[in-house]
Amino acid sequence: MTTDLLTKPGLFATLDDQPLDAMLTLLHRLRSDPREGKIDLGIGVYGDETGQTPVMRAVKQAEAHLYQHQTTKTYVAAEGDAGFIAALAPLVLGDSRARDDRFCGLQTPGGTGALRLAAELIARANPEARVWLGTPTWVNHRGLMQAAGLQVLEHPFFDKATQTLTFDAMMSVLETARGGDVLLLHACCHNPTGAEFTPDQWGLIGDLCARKGLVPLIDIAYQGLGHGMEADATGMRTVLDKVPEAIVAASCSKNFGLYRERIGALWVKAQTAQTALRARGNLILTARTMWSMPPDHGASVVRIILESPALTDLWRAELDEMRARLNSVRAALAAAVPALSTIASQTGMFALLPLERDQVVALREQHGIYMLDSGRINIAGLQSDNLPRFAAALEPYLQGDTHAR
Ligand SMILES: Cc1ncc(COP(=O)(O)O)c(C=O)c1O
């Protein structure tokens, strides 16, 4: 290597420094905190009453079956495992839509892969489309849409101080959306707020999309953890039935506990079966240039579970246990902290506490309680032994006059 080459700045030197990932920073702080009894409400994975995230029993059994019967590790297709899609579609979309040839689906690496692929498809079909995100939303939504070159706009979704949905404000801002714009919605268990639309509100959203020609992009990452597999999809299906075109991005990370296996699915609803096939061809082509083929393990596990009535029953029972635990922690927290009574009627793994950043920092420094700077907590990080301590530490911060002390 000549010194001449080293005097030039180089390709990577032109890159901007990036802020450290907030979640990783929090995790690092938590791990290096020597205090006993720290409470980790940061990372978004389910934890049981002992604080563990075990492999589900149905998953273990499906893995044992796979180990015994899998005969090759050759590539799967770019669209993934057709049996997985066929087995999952009725659970996510419902039977009638799963049979409707205006819907086409393919396997993706996690819900994230589904959203990223959806963004690419939208950009390919209509680069002028703008994507409307509710505020607040999952932090990755903006980046996933922008990575495909799409413009992102916001509408108000939730008021943290009053813990209420700002539905009227949302609908009036969405009146300014253009035909062809995309409306990103959480089907259930909203991350980070836990807030949900009523059935009537879902109907109104569907009507608005149909009237204005908006394309709903529905992110369903926590199905089964709110009210149950069917109930958590009902609002989404109401919208799907009202519009000619829509996209559904599903994740099996949480409801099958398969986080690291990266398993999800994407469905497109098109106006005709022929257009659905065209969309499918474009999805496959795009997937080929992003990950070529999706990983197989998670898809095989989900397929084996869903193709076996006994394993499906076991999986559903475990999912029911997870949901029951989340809902009982919500009830216990609401009872212990009356100012947080809304938590009991919210759903899923998250709540966005009405705290300012300085209060979040104070809770961390003074009490060893770790949550995102936004005030988002993972409900599943609470257990019967740490909940009373958390409630006692939190209470003064919700009185309205307690900032960093
Ligand atoms: C709202 C939402 N959508 C999608 C995802 C993506 O999940 P994964 O890519 O792990 O399947 C997450 C994960 O945290 C999420 O919270």
Side-chain angles (χ1 to χ4, degrees), residues 109-112 115 138 141 186 191 219 221-222 251 253-254 262-263:
T112 305
L115 289 162
W138 181 42
H141 277 152
H186 299 231
N191 178 5
D219 180 354
Y222 298 88
S251 167
S253 300
K254 327 283 160 151
R262 312 308 302 133
I263 178 63

Side-chain angles (χ1 to χ4, degrees), residues 68-205:
Q68 280 170 1
H69 294 96
Q70 192 174 50
T71 53
T72 180
K73 292 282 186 192
T74 186
Y75 293 117
V76 291
E79 63 266 41
D81 179 336
F84 158 76
I85 290 292
L88 191 66
L91 288 186
V92 176
L93 304 175
D95 288 334
S96 59
R97 291 163 217 86
R99 286 194 307 268
D100 184 337
D101 57 11
R102 290 171 301 166
F103 283 83
C104 68
L106 81 171
Q107 183 192 326
T108 57
T112 305
L115 289 162
R116 183 71 176 81
L117 189 59
E120 288 294 330
L121 185 74
I122 294 161
R124 189 178 261 269
N126 177 12
E128 304 304 313
R130 303 160 323 161
V131 182
W132 291 85
L133 304 180
T135 51
T137 190
W138 181 42
V139 281
N140 219 9
H141 277 152
R142 172 178 287 275
L144 283 166
M145 297 301 122
Q146 288 177 336
L150 294 168
Q151 188 190 340
V152 168
L153 296 171
E154 294 181 343
H155 65 76
F157 170 76
F158 182 78
D159 181 46
K160 180 164 123 167
T162 56
Q163 293 285 299
T164 48
L165 271 182
T166 48
F167 187 72
D168 293 343
M170 161 180 166
M171 294 299 269
S172 80
V173 169
L174 288 175
E175 283 298 338
T176 67
R178 293 196 300 241
D181 282 355
V182 173
L183 174 59
L184 197 154
L185 298 161
H186 299 231
C188 59
C189 306
H190 187 272
N191 178 5
T193 69
E196 60 182 5
F197 298 123
T198 63
D200 286 348
Q201 289 172 335
W202 278 111
L204 292 170
I205 292 168

Side-chain angles (χ1 to χ4, degrees), residues 358-372:
D358 60 335
Q359 298 176 309
V360 170
V361 171
L363 279 164
R364 188 168 71 225
E365 289 177 352
Q366 292 168 20
H367 301 277
I369 294 170
Y370 286 75
M371 66 181 80
L372 298 192

Side-chain angles (χ1 to χ4, degrees), residues 132-381:
W132 291 85
L133 304 180
T135 51
T137 190
W138 181 42
V139 281
N140 219 9
H141 277 152
R142 172 178 287 275
L144 283 166
M145 297 301 122
Q146 288 177 336
L150 294 168
Q151 188 190 340
V152 168
L153 296 171
E154 294 181 343
H155 65 76
F157 170 76
F158 182 78
D159 181 46
K160 180 164 123 167
T162 56
Q163 293 285 299
T164 48
L165 271 182
T166 48
F167 187 72
D168 293 343
M170 161 180 166
M171 294 299 269
S172 80
V173 169
L174 288 175
E175 283 298 338
T176 67
R178 293 196 300 241
D181 282 355
V182 173
L183 174 59
L184 197 154
L185 298 161
H186 299 231
C188 59
C189 306
H190 187 272
N191 178 5
T193 69
E196 60 182 5
F197 298 123
T198 63
D200 286 348
Q201 289 172 335
W202 278 111
L204 292 170
I205 292 168
D207 291 340
L208 177 99
C209 290
R211 176 167 55 81
K212 293 197 67 79
L214 309 184
V215 181
L217 164 54
I218 309 182
D219 180 354
I220 179 158
Y222 298 88
Q223 190 182 3
L225 290 170
H227 300 285
M229 285 298 286
E230 278 296 298
D232 287 348
T234 308
M236 173 183 80
R237 292 177 191 168
T238 301
V239 173
L240 291 178
D241 290 345
K242 283 180 184 275
V243 294
E245 295 182 309
I247 307 177
V248 175
S251 167
C252 300
S253 300
K254 327 283 160 151
N255 51 11
F256 285 84
L258 283 167
Y259 309 86
R260 66 170 64 171
E261 303 299 351
R262 312 308 302 133
I263 178 63
L266 176 70
W267 282 274
V268 165
K269 179 186 183 186
Q271 286 179 342
T272 64
Q274 198 188 2
T275 320
L277 273 179
R278 192 180 303 158
R280 181 183 161 80
N282 279 269
L283 286 170
I284 290 172
L285 187 79
T286 309
R288 285 283 286 149
T289 61
M290 297 213 288
W291 47 76
S292 187
M293 322 275 171
D296 173 67
H297 188 79
S300 287
V301 167
V302 172
R303 175 178 44 73
I304 290 167
I305 292 172
L306 297 180
E307 285 175 355
S308 153
L311 286 184
T312 300
D313 285 350
L314 178 59
W315 164 68
R316 279 188 183 269
E318 292 183 87
L319 183 62
D320 289 350
E321 265 172 42
M322 288 159 66
R323 182 177 63 254
R325 178 173 135 64
L326 289 174
N327 290 335
S328 77
V329 173
R330 285 184 174 280
L333 187 56
V337 187
L340 285 182
S341 60
T342 43
I343 294 256
S345 55
Q346 295 165 355
T347 52
M349 286 194 355
F350 304 110
L352 189 66
L353 301 182
L355 297 173
E356 299 301 330
R357 190 171 175 280
D358 60 335
Q359 298 176 309
V360 170
V361 171
L363 279 164
R364 188 168 71 225
E365 289 177 352
Q366 292 168 20
H367 301 277
I369 294 170
Y370 286 75
M371 66 181 80
L372 298 192
D373 282 352
S374 61
R376 189 195 82 167
I377 58 165
N378 176 3
I379 294 288

